[in-house]
Amino acid sequence: MHPSLLQDAGCPKEIPHNEKLLSLKYESLDYDNSENQLFLEEERRMSFLGFKCLEISRWVICGLIGFLTGLIACCIDIAVENLAGVKYFVVKQNIEKFTEVGGLSISLILWAVLNAAFVMVGAVIVAFFEPGAAGSGIPQIKCYLNGVKIPRVVRLKTLVVKVCGVICSVAGGLAVGKEGPMIHSGAVVAAGVSQGRSTSLKKDFKIFEYFRRDTEKRDFVSAGAAAGVSAAFGAPVGGVLFSLEEGASFWNQMLTWRIFFASMISTFTLNFFLSIYNKKPGDLSSPGLINFGRFESDVSVCGLLGALFNILNYWLTIFRIRYVHQPCLQVMEAMLVAAVTATVSFAMIYFSNDCQPLGPDQSEDYPLQLVHICLFIFLVGLLVPTSIVKHLFCADGEYNSMATAFFNTPERSVRSLFHNPPGSYNPLTLSLFTLTYFFLACWTYGLTVSAGVFIPSLLIGAAWGRLFGILLASITPDGSIWADPGKYALIGAAAQLGGIVRMTLSLTVIMVEATGNVTYGLPIMLVLLTAKIVGDYFVEGLYDIHIKLQSVPFLHLEAPATSHWLTAREVMSAPVTCFNRIEKVGTIVDVLSNTSTNHNGFPVVVPVAVCGLILRSQLIVLLKHKVFVELARSRLTQRKLQLKDFRDAYPRFPPIQSIHISQDERECMMDLTEFMNPTPYTVPQETSLPRVFKLFRALGLRHLVVVDSENRVVGLVTRKDLARYHLGKHGLEEMQLAQT
């Protein structure tokens, strides 16, 4: 029997992590509609006006998705700003208080404790209440849109923990951003709104029932992800392209417009409520033009830095999978990172003497200059002699550049690197900050907290890019011929993020919309392509790495290049459990209850030739409602089911163990004709693997029946059968399947 149909009872429940394993615990989603008699009858009964109403409903849902996503993004922004402001105020007051009595060591401890406390709350709710809310959520959404059913990825509980967790993570001073979690939040909102009910709250609003299937939900989740990008960056077009480039497994023109509509509503909602709150949206606008005469070496370095970031995070993630898998250990690690980040920030300020005059157009909104001065008084007075204090102390009307980089929210730090005039940072400050923040961000991504990597990547690249611009101007006789170093910061930011996540077209548009100047489009596209090429030479993108480390059966756009010699006969699962068109109830119950297999699709044969395909979920609903054929001397009668009965059970179909079937009922028969899909996709057993892969991937299939020359079922191709083949260092390799 094929290994994908086995779950060896002798295998351990937990196995050491091995990247050459493919997990059996992930199931596929049904992105291909089952066109059974019930479905076709409903479609044929629907009038032209009915179809128009459904189309209007899709637009209404997309509008609701955009509105709610923008509202959530606004709440996250306001909460982070307020909590960060309170934290800064408390520390500043504490420093001023203890300056008078000479006991300032408590202030350093207070800063670290506040950060650790915020992060502890965020880590506890993720580790103990909803582990699915960890990280940015983008890899999980990519998998969902690819057709993989990731457990609890679009639940309401996941959304609540995600929002609260990212607020705590950012307010706790970790080297993270809130943009990735906003994308995940938008996807969860879309999954919930489009169903017109909440299964978590057991509340059904009796609306949008037609869309309760995987095919429709997928399209709305694409819109939600795009709305999240739009809310995070103020980039509606970039959101559409992000959804297309990074996730969507299906696309058409009308879907594009609906997704764009959701993105526009999301951006409008965010800007509207932030304007009421009297706060500017968090754009990265960088006015002015730029001469991108020479930036190739800067971009190549950022591509290398992106690859280095991914490699280090890869090994760190493997270590976490093997040794830091207990919730208590995960919370302790997150608190340790928060404390180390705070301590390193103080130490960096201590070693910095980069004092700059506070100009009238300074972009920092927080009154941090006083905090910077107080921190310097504290650190210098505590740790160094008075003679050195004179060299490190920033006078009135000055601020410390290192403190500006570390003690702002990451978004404000990025804007300061983009906007601040030449001379605002010296090369040593930028070098130390880049090196330190690079390793902090690498250590932070993958913690059991809700956090993204977009803004930390932009911040690292902006610092490195600005440093490159300063050095380029300093080594030339006439430095004025080079562009403002802030423009090199923009190029470095794009290249660093591109080198880590390997996005090209969508990231170009996001950066253009965020900076507000289309002039940057071509140079940014060139640097992103260069960074992607350089990074891909060494390692995959960060999201693909984390998908691979979770052993997810992810299907890329194309089959492995050297797989033409494989055929459907060699990759299919066999033998296959089939049902007759009229099957005994006891047989169906026994097959579904068999714990050694977990089939989700069953070919229907008459007598041996395939005549349809029926899903486990459909059989569960039929057994629950006892749709049995009447027998002699039996009072059981067959009940007429409608599609509503299947939609009401979606997506949490009950397990077979929860359905009671009596001994008399086991002897009844079940007619599958009306409920099976009578036109399943089939391929001959000699079909090449690339052709099978293209058909499976393009149509969003979950099962592909393999038949012989007489149309008899000889095997079944599933997602795992295709995903286990990949290109390795030594050509085409086959991964092993395991219950991990």
Side-chain angles (χ1 to χ4, degrees):
M1 184 179 290
H2 193 280
S4 68
L5 296 182
L6 291 175
Q7 292 182 3
D8 189 354
C11 293
K13 294 182 179 180
E14 293 185 7
I15 60 175
H17 175 75
N18 187 335
E19 63 181 39
K20 295 187 182 299
L21 293 178
L22 201 64
S23 177
L24 285 170
K25 71 179 181 180
Y26 295 106
E27 299 296 339
S28 295
L29 294 164
D30 296 298
Y31 283 164
D32 178 45
N33 288 325
S34 178
E35 292 192 349
N36 54 25
Q37 290 184 20
L38 293 181
F39 178 82
L40 294 176
E41 288 173 3
E42 182 184 71
E43 295 292 306
R44 290 164 182 165
R45 287 196 305 266
M46 194 175 298
S47 64
F48 177 76
L49 181 61
F51 280 109
K52 282 294 183 182
C53 290
L54 286 177
E55 188 62 27
I56 293 174
S57 298
R58 290 188 176 95
W59 285 93
V60 171
I61 292 172
C62 287
L64 289 173
I65 291 170
F67 174 78
L68 293 176
T69 302
L71 195 60
I72 290 173
C74 180
C75 293
I76 293 175
D77 269 348
I78 293 174
V80 168
E81 292 290 336
N82 285 335
L83 287 177
V86 169
K87 185 177 69 173
Y88 289 129
F89 177 78
V90 169
V91 173
K92 184 188 74 170
Q93 293 293 103
N94 191 272
I95 291 173
E96 291 175 344
K97 174 183 177 181
F98 284 99
T99 300
E100 300 174 356
V101 298
L104 290 177
S105 58
I106 192 65
S107 299
L108 174 58
I109 299 175
L110 175 64
W111 184 269
V113 167
L114 284 175
N115 279 2
F118 279 122
V119 172
M120 182 188 70
V121 174
V124 165
I125 61 176
V126 171
F128 288 95
F129 292 96
E130 188 49 73
S136 67
I138 295 178
Q140 290 87 339
I141 296 303
K142 283 187 64 173
C143 292
Y144 182 90
L145 294 176
N146 189 259
V148 183
K149 187 176 183 179
I150 305 295
R152 311 184 66 84
V153 69
V154 289
R155 297 279 181 89
L156 177 62
K157 184 178 178 182
T158 304
L159 174 64
V160 174
V161 174
K162 195 83 176 183
V163 171
C164 297
V166 72
I167 292 172
C168 293
S169 299
V170 178
L174 291 177
V176 299
K178 55 183 181 290
E179 286 67 27
M182 283 186 183
I183 297 170
H184 188 186
S185 298
V188 180
V189 168
V193 170
S194 63
Q195 304 304 290
R197 67 176 177 185
S198 171
T199 51
S200 299
L201 300 178
K202 295 180 172 55
K203 179 66 176 177
D204 193 341
F205 297 98
K206 305 296 182 181
I207 57 175
F208 307 141
E209 295 179 349
Y210 181 85
F211 305 118
R212 294 177 184 177
R213 46 190 162 126
D214 289 338
T215 311
E216 295 286 351
K217 186 190 282 190
R218 169 197 61 190
D219 295 343
F220 292 119
V221 169
S222 298
V229 174
S230 181
F233 294 99
V237 178
V240 175
L241 294 177
F242 171 85
S243 188
L244 170 62
E245 181 178 8
E246 286 297 301
S249 57
F250 170 78
W251 206 261
N252 63 30
Q253 186 177 14
M254 189 56 66
L255 178 61
T256 303
W257 284 112
R258 288 201 298 268
I259 291 177
F260 179 69
F261 176 66
S263 299
M264 288 294 296
I265 295 295
S266 177
T267 303
F268 174 80
T269 302
L270 177 67
N271 292 340
F272 176 77
F273 283 102
L274 288 183
S275 64
I276 294 177
Y277 184 70
N278 196 26
K279 174 184 177 296
K280 296 183 297 182
D283 64 83
L284 304 176
S285 302
S286 181
L289 302 180
I290 174 173
N291 173 19
F292 292 102
R294 294 184 180 181
F295 52 82
E296 292 86 353
S297 58
D298 183 27
V299 175
S300 299
V301 169
C302 280
L304 292 172
L305 284 177
L308 177 62
F309 186 100
N310 291 358
I311 291 172
L312 293 176
N313 191 262
Y314 167 79
W315 290 110
L316 180 61
T317 304
I318 288 181
F319 176 83
R320 284 172 173 149
I321 291 173
R322 290 177 176 172
Y323 302 108
V324 192
H325 50 266
Q326 297 296 329
C328 292
L329 294 176
Q330 293 170 342
V331 173
M332 290 174 62
E333 185 195 14
M335 294 176 64
L336 174 64
V337 175
V340 170
T341 301
T343 304
V344 168
S345 301
F346 272 96
M348 294 296 290
I349 295 177
Y350 164 67
F351 284 111
S352 174
N353 62 347
D354 187 6
C355 294
Q356 303 293 337
L358 182 61
D361 58 343
Q362 201 67 35
S363 62
E364 285 79 26
D365 293 335
Y366 281 126
L368 296 178
Q369 288 70 34
L370 179 58
V371 177
H372 301 165
I373 294 172
C374 292
L375 290 174
F376 256 69
I377 294 173
F378 154 55
L379 288 170
V380 174
L382 183 66
L383 300 174
V384 298
T386 307
S387 58
I388 304 179
V389 173
K390 298 178 181 178
H391 300 285
L392 296 179
F393 176 70
C394 291
D396 291 339
E398 294 182 345
Y399 69 97
N400 186 271
S401 295
M402 185 68 78
T404 299
F406 266 114
F407 285 106
N408 268 315
T409 57
E411 291 87 348
R412 296 182 185 278
S413 297
V414 171
R415 287 204 299 272
S416 68
L417 288 167
F418 284 176
H419 293 312
N420 284 7
S424 299
Y425 298 88
N426 65 41
L428 180 60
T429 297
L430 292 174
S431 299
L432 292 174
F433 175 78
T434 301
L435 183 65
T436 304
Y437 205 80
F438 178 89
F439 287 106
L440 286 176
C442 186
W443 188 13
T444 302
Y445 189 79
L447 290 175
T448 310
V449 295
S450 300
V453 75
F454 272 72
I455 289 298
S457 302
L458 291 176
L459 185 52
I460 295 168
W464 176 249
R466 190 174 182 105
L467 173 64
F468 179 82
I470 294 173
L471 296 178
L472 189 63
S474 65
I475 63 176
T476 57
D478 185 9
S480 61
I481 65 173
W482 301 104
D484 186 321
K487 307 307 184 291
Y488 285 95
L490 172 62
I491 292 300
Q496 182 68 40
L497 181 54
I500 291 176
V501 301
R502 310 293 160 77
M503 293 161 52
T504 52
L505 182 60
S506 59
L507 186 54
T508 299
V509 177
I510 288 172
M511 294 298 292
V512 167
E513 289 185 281
T515 55
N517 198 322
V518 74
T519 310
Y520 303 147
L522 179 60
I524 291 176
M525 172 60 80
L526 292 176
V527 303
L528 288 173
L529 286 174
T530 307
K532 177 177 172 58
I533 292 171
V534 173
D536 283 343
Y537 182 80
F538 296 97
V539 69
E540 297 174 292
L542 186 63
Y543 299 144
D544 292 327
I545 287 175
H546 279 261
I547 290 173
K548 185 176 180 181
L549 287 174
Q550 295 300 318
S551 301
V552 177
F554 187 89
L555 296 182
H556 295 279
L557 290 175
E558 300 289 343
T562 60
S563 60
H564 279 82
W565 60 274
L566 289 171
T567 63
R569 186 199 301 114
E570 295 166 292
V571 303
M572 68 186 183
S573 302
V576 180
T577 301
C578 299
F579 288 132
N580 296 311
R581 188 173 59 83
I582 300 179
E583 187 62 82
K584 189 177 178 180
V585 171
T587 302
I588 296 176
V589 172
D590 291 340
V591 170
L592 297 183
S593 303
N594 189 349
T595 57
S596 64
T597 59
N598 192 26
H599 308 319
N600 286 283
F602 304 91
V604 182
V605 295
V606 179
V608 291
V610 62
C611 67
L613 181 76
I614 192 160
L615 302 176
R616 170 183 287 265
S617 59
Q618 294 173 313
L619 292 172
I620 290 289
V621 174
L622 295 178
L623 290 173
K624 178 182 178 181
H625 291 282
K626 302 188 184 302
V627 185
F628 307 145
V629 177
E630 184 178 4
L631 296 179
R633 297 188 305 273
S634 173
R635 291 176 295 178
L636 295 172
T637 57
Q638 183 176 9
R639 181 193 166 193
K640 178 70 174 178
L641 282 191
Q642 299 178 345
L643 278 181
K644 184 180 184 303
D645 296 295
F646 294 91
R647 290 167 179 162
D648 287 343
Y650 175 85
R652 302 186 193 179
F653 296 97
I656 183 63
Q657 292 78 12
S658 66
I659 300 175
H660 175 69
I661 301 294
S662 67
Q663 191 60 39
D664 289 339
E665 292 171 337
R666 287 179 59 88
E667 300 301 320
C668 296
M669 305 298 290
M670 182 182 291
D671 189 350
L672 306 179
T673 305
E674 189 178 9
F675 311 103
M676 69 181 186
N677 181 2
T679 56
Y681 290 99
T682 62
V683 293
Q685 55 186 340
E686 299 301 328
T687 308
S688 67
L689 175 60
R691 191 170 183 85
V692 172
F693 191 100
K694 183 180 296 183
L695 181 65
F696 200 96
R697 178 73 165 81
L699 297 177
L701 302 182
R702 185 175 185 180
H703 306 94
L704 183 60
V705 182
V706 182
V707 297
D708 60 12
S709 58
E710 298 180 0
N711 203 35
R712 292 178 299 189
V713 178
V714 295
L716 201 66
V717 176
T718 64
R719 168 178 295 271
K720 300 179 184 70
D721 298 324
L722 299 176
R724 61 194 176 96
Y725 293 97
H726 72 109
L727 279 178
K729 296 180 180 179
H730 307 290
L732 190 66
E733 297 178 352
E734 181 179 356
M735 292 187 287
Q736 299 299 315
L737 300 172
Q739 190 70 31
T740 59

